[in-house]
């Protein structure tokens, strides 16, 4: 299974979607100009007849109301997405940043497919395969941006692309549905060891991950633009529990044990053992979650962010006993029968099916989407979704309400002749006074010269890679004739006793043209956490590297990184962690997260002889902190490095930026590296 999910990650890097052509209108091409004290709102609207968008309308055919008050339409645009084009006619964006910039243009459609593997079984993933491929082949064009996610990934890693071939190949592998299968992550196996097979904690943990993904994805898409963004959610739906008591089955509290080193401990005595202390903390966290409220909040936030859900139940028309359930669900059924002889299993399953479908329908209806459920033929439903997304109008207006209170404002779009309400963006959150002031400052700053070089905000953005669920994190730097990759296990995995025997690491590097530029293998030794791998390369950069970690008894772990070409006076750095003792060994860093008990050492390659160098520590706000940073030079494998050393003990938990400036005559260079300090 892990190979499929990684393949899906790779697919995301090549993600795809469809085409748009614009009908021109005299009022279409004039972009909105910021007016002092005004706020511009864009509203996508979908007038339909017989399930298709009505074309040929003009601004005079619409009226827009905000909280019941008429608004003057200032800009107008009709966008139609035309016939399918082949992959050869489409080019993927070069980076996530470029893709997100394209997504800000309403002339592009934005789709994300979310495959809820935890709540789709093997039969459902098989049933979905061909209808979904057919849908993609029918609708995809040159102005579509498309991404795919599963619960094995994080929304912040989303890549939007425009080519479909690799995605279609991965959808042909239909074994991604996990529901009813005894396949568990190491964390889930630990929970099973603590609580037994009848525990509901596994299901709650998976449900929490899916909701966390959807919440983060809605926020991410909401930040791309005001116009509609679309999530195609493939799931059987969810039984939504409210807050519950802590599952107590087989749990007796954290034991007092003795480690192999002879120390007293609460929880796991040996690496690899299940930590009952961690189990209890996790069970308490999950038992306090009200998933019904989270579902309502997801609907509310999706409306505010103008994100539309199209849920699809791949299992089609369900009946009691048709869908295999997990061992925990079967155990729960048995317990209910023993406790109540009148318990009706069939009625309970029918209630469950109805509740799950109702949740999907509610999610679709309240975000202007369409739910495809209760049908064993998914093709007509996916066709309706394709037709629903075939075209739309974008109306723009300056709101007449100048009360900047951050409140939610309702939008209504009607056809003037009939006063018939039209499907459209339903609401938006008004800016606050502070946000309006920021907009004015941004407009004023737009005409000012922009500073060149890196910024603390850009550097801090790299810390988004430190996602809680990550097990493997990598970092790379180019050197003459090679790239050097640091592969490191996340602290949480090490502290949980996993990967104690180490693992084999494989690195495959691609060049600027996408071809294979080099490959190498290495190993994280038993008891270690990281390794450095030198990969001889051919061809020009920038490069990208796929890093895989494998070990017996552990699921494969993957990371994908970008490696820029070295420019300026300093090359790209490699970092190391150590204890505060000056002679302590340096260990490579791929995860830039440190404890206060550690020391960070950074080597920046010197590309030209320097006559000055200086380093300082910046806070998250970019202001320098009064903490000495040691700077010097040292040779490493025949190359001169600017060596930066910093003891982290004086710092509190938070994010920081290490800034290195160097000079050679009239030339200067500045480099930034962000780190996170945890307790």
């Amino acid at each position: 299974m892990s190979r499929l999910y990684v393949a899906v990650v790779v697919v995301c890097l090549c993600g795809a979607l469809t085409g748009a052509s614009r009908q021109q209108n005299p009022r279409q091409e004039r972009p909105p100009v910021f007016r002092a004290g005004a706020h511009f709102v864009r509203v996508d609207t979908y007038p339909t007849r017989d399930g298709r968008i009505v074309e040929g309308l003009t601004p005079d055919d619409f009226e827009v109301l905000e909280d019941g008050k008429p608004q003057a339409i200032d800009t107008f645009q009709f966008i139609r997405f035309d016939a399918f084009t082949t992959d050869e006619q489409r080019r993927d964006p070069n980076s996530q940043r470029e893709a997100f910039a394209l997504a800000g243009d309403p002339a592009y459609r934005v789709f994300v497919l979310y495959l809820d593997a935890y709540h789709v079984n093997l039969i459902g993933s098989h049933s979905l395969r061909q209808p979904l491929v057919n849908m993609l082949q029918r609708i995809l064009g040159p102005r579509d941006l498309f991404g795919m996610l599963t619960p094995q990934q994080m929304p912040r890693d989303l890549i939007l692309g425009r080519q479909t071939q690799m995605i279609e190949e991965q959808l042909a592998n239909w074994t991604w549905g996990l529901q009813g299968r005894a396949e568990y992550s190491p964390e889930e196996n630990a929970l099973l060891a603590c609580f037994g097979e009848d525990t509901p904690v596994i299901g709650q943990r998976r449900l929490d991950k899916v909701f966390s993904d959807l919440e983060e994805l809605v926020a991410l898409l909401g930040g791309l633009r005001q116009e509609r963004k679309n999530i195609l959610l493939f799931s059987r739906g969810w039984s939504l529990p409210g807050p519950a008591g802590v599952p107590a089955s087989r749990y007796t509290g954290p034991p007092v044990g003795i480690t192999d080193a002879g120390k007293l401990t609460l929880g796991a005595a040996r690496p690899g053992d299940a930590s009952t202390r961690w189990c209890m903390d996790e069970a308490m966290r999950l038992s306090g979650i009200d998933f019904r409220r989270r579902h309502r909040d997801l609907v509310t936030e999706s409306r505010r962010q103008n994100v539309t859900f199209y849920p699809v139940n791949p299992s089609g028309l369900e009946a009691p006993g048709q869908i295999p359930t997990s061992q925990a669900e079967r155990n729960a059924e048995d317990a209910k029968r023993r406790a109540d002889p009148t318990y009706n299993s069939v009625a309970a399953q029918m209630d469950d099916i109805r509740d799950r479908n109702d949740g999907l329908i509610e999610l679709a209806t309240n975000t202007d989407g369409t739910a495809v459920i209760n049908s064993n033929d998914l093709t007509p439903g996916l066709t309706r979704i394709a037709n629903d997304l075939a075209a739309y109008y974008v109306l723009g207006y300056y709101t007449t309400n100048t009360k900047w209170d951050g409140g939610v404002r309702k939008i209504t779009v009607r056809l003037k002749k009939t006063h018939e309400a039209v499907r459209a963006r339903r609401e938006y959150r008004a800016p606050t006074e502070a946000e309006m002031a920021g907009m004015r400052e941004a407009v004023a700053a737009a005409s000012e010269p922009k500073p060149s070089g890196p910024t603390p905000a850009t550097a801090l953005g790299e810390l988004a890679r430190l996602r809680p669920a990550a097990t493997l994190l990598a970092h790379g730097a180019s050197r003459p004739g090679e790239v050097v990759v640091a592969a490191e296990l996340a602290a949480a995995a090490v502290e949980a006793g996993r990967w104690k025997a180490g693992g084999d690491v494989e690195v495959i590097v691609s060049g600027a043209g996408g071809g294979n530029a080099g490959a190498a293998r290495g190993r994280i030794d038993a008891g270690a956490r990281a390794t450095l791998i030198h990969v001889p390369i051919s061809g020009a950069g920038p490069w990208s590297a796929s890093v895989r970690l494998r070990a017996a008894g552990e699921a494969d772990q993957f990371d994908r990184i970008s490696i820029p070409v070295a420019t300026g006076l300093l090359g790209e750095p490699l970092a190391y962690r150590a204890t505060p003792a000056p002679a302590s060994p340096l260990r490579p860093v791929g995860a830039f997260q440190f404890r206060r008990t550690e020391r960070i050492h950074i080597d920046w390659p010197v590309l030209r002889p320097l006559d000055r160098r200086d380093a300082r520590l910046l806070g998250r706000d970019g202001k320098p902190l009064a903490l000495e940073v040691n700077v010097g030079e040292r040779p490493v494998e025949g190359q001169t490095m600017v060596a930066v050393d910093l003891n982290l003990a004086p710092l509190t938990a938070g994010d920081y930026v290490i800034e290195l400036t160097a000079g050679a005559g009239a030339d200067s260079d500045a480099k930034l590296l962000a780190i996170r300090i945890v307790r």
Side-chain angles (χ1 to χ4, degrees), residues 476-559:
S478 62
R479 300 289 185 263
E482 67 174 8
V483 297
V484 184
V485 175
E488 184 178 27
L489 289 164
V494 175
E495 292 166 359
R498 297 172 52 200
W499 300 91
K500 58 183 179 180
D504 296 316
V505 181
E506 179 184 54
V507 180
I508 300 176
V509 178
S510 301
N516 193 328
R521 297 176 182 271
R523 179 166 180 81
I524 297 177
D525 294 328
R529 182 177 168 185
T531 188
L532 275 182
I533 301 175
H534 294 257
V535 186
I537 55 172
S538 60
W543 302 271
S544 63
S546 176
V547 185
R548 178 173 67 177
L549 174 63
R550 308 183 70 179
E554 298 282 359
D556 289 4
Q557 301 296 319
F558 296 81
D559 196 15

Side-chain angles (χ1 to χ4, degrees), residues 479-480 482 484 532 534 574 576 586 601-606 632-644:
R479 300 289 185 263
E482 67 174 8
V484 184
L532 275 182
H534 294 257
L574 289 173
Y576 305 83
L586 299 177
H601 177 94
I602 311 168
D603 284 336
W604 263 285
V606 176
E633 290 190 0
R634 70 169 189 146
V636 177
E637 299 176 348
Q639 185 172 14
T640 301
M641 302 282 181
V642 173
V644 173

Side-chain angles (χ1 to χ4, degrees), residues 115-154:
L115 306 181
D116 180 7
Y118 290 149
H119 301 94
V120 171
N121 66 357
L122 200 62
I123 297 172
S125 58
H126 178 270
S127 301
L128 177 66
R129 176 185 55 170
Q130 197 57 51
L132 183 54
V133 169
N134 291 343
M135 175 190 175
L136 296 178
Q137 290 176 342
R138 175 187 175 190
I139 71 171
L140 302 186
R143 285 187 177 270
D144 281 318
L145 293 167
F146 169 91
M148 182 184 289
L149 290 173
T150 77
Q152 311 305 113
Q153 302 157 247
M154 298 294 288

